[in-house]
Amino acid sequence: MSQPPNDPTLLDTLLPLPVSERVRQRLLRAGQRFHANDNIAGHLHAGEMAAIENEVAARAQELLRALVIDTDNDHNTRDTGRRLAKMFVRELFAGRYQPAPAVTEFPNAERLNELMIVGPLRVRSACSHHLCPIIGQVWIGVLPDANSNLIGLSKYARLVEWIMSRPQIQEEAVSQIAQLLEQRLKPDGLAVVMEADHYCMHWRGVKDDGSKMTNSVMRGKFLSDPALRREFLSLRHRG
């Protein structure tokens, strides 16, 4: 009697499971967390993005059916499942499925050690609780040292977008942005402030369309030096 294969990758191809479940089992075997705002690109195989999109399209169409919408005869919703799948997988939540954007880093040849501020950068995401839009701005303060890595201005926007293109809650998003930039830049200090509108409050629930949420993460010298922190916050408000 032939023995079952021991190769987990081969098992993936033999198991008669939906692609989402195959990826889920692969993540569990690797001990990899896969919360809504985690990136799982390193655990996807070739062709699986398209397969995930197809599966999401079918399940989204079933959601519309459960809402008692006649998708067979309503020309407006006939292809909504497919449109939703493309929007979620390829656009709104692309930061879950795509690897980090390529970012060229260069040394701090001039030994810059003065505060620099990037922003406001426009941010867009969806809240993990209701998948309603989060739209706002983020400011980044960097205090480099002689050994810091430097990146181009547009690269901050690319890295922030990669983090925000996932279902998020704002408090965790700011922390993820700070962690990513600390790893890339290794600065003496880092500050991130985000201010955003949450449409789970505007569109539903209390329907308060005037409220915003602002939160911050301070690392390194921004924590230990109140004058530096005040300078950053003052310059942010002027911008």
Side-chain angles (χ1 to χ4, degrees), residues 49-130:
M49 280 282 289
I52 288 173
E53 189 175 338
N54 287 335
E55 184 179 337
V56 172
R59 297 194 182 202
Q61 207 69 8
E62 286 304 309
L63 170 64
L64 296 174
R65 285 179 157 299
L67 292 169
V68 199
I69 295 174
D70 184 2
T71 58
D72 295 325
N73 297 297
D74 177 7
H75 61 282
N76 290 318
T77 58
R78 190 171 298 140
D79 295 318
T80 295
R82 171 66 58 189
R83 289 190 289 266
L84 282 172
K86 180 181 178 182
M87 179 181 72
F88 284 128
V89 176
R90 303 287 179 177
E91 299 172 347
L92 299 186
F93 301 160
R96 298 199 75 237
Y97 309 110
Q98 296 176 2
V103 174
T104 302
E105 300 174 8
F106 47 95
N108 186 358
E110 298 297 323
R111 304 180 69 83
L112 303 173
N113 63 355
E114 299 292 337
L115 171 63
M116 62 180 187
I117 298 175
V118 179
L121 300 172
R122 175 65 67 182
V123 292
R124 298 173 180 85
S125 190
C127 83
S128 300
H129 299 150
H130 297 94

Side-chain angles (χ1 to χ4, degrees), residues 161-181:
E161 182 183 20
W162 184 63
I163 293 291
M164 296 303 294
S165 296
R166 311 168 191 182
Q168 286 283 9
I169 65 169
Q170 185 172 331
E171 303 93 316
E172 293 180 1
V174 172
S175 181
Q176 284 187 324
I177 291 169
Q179 182 178 349
L180 177 62
L181 292 174

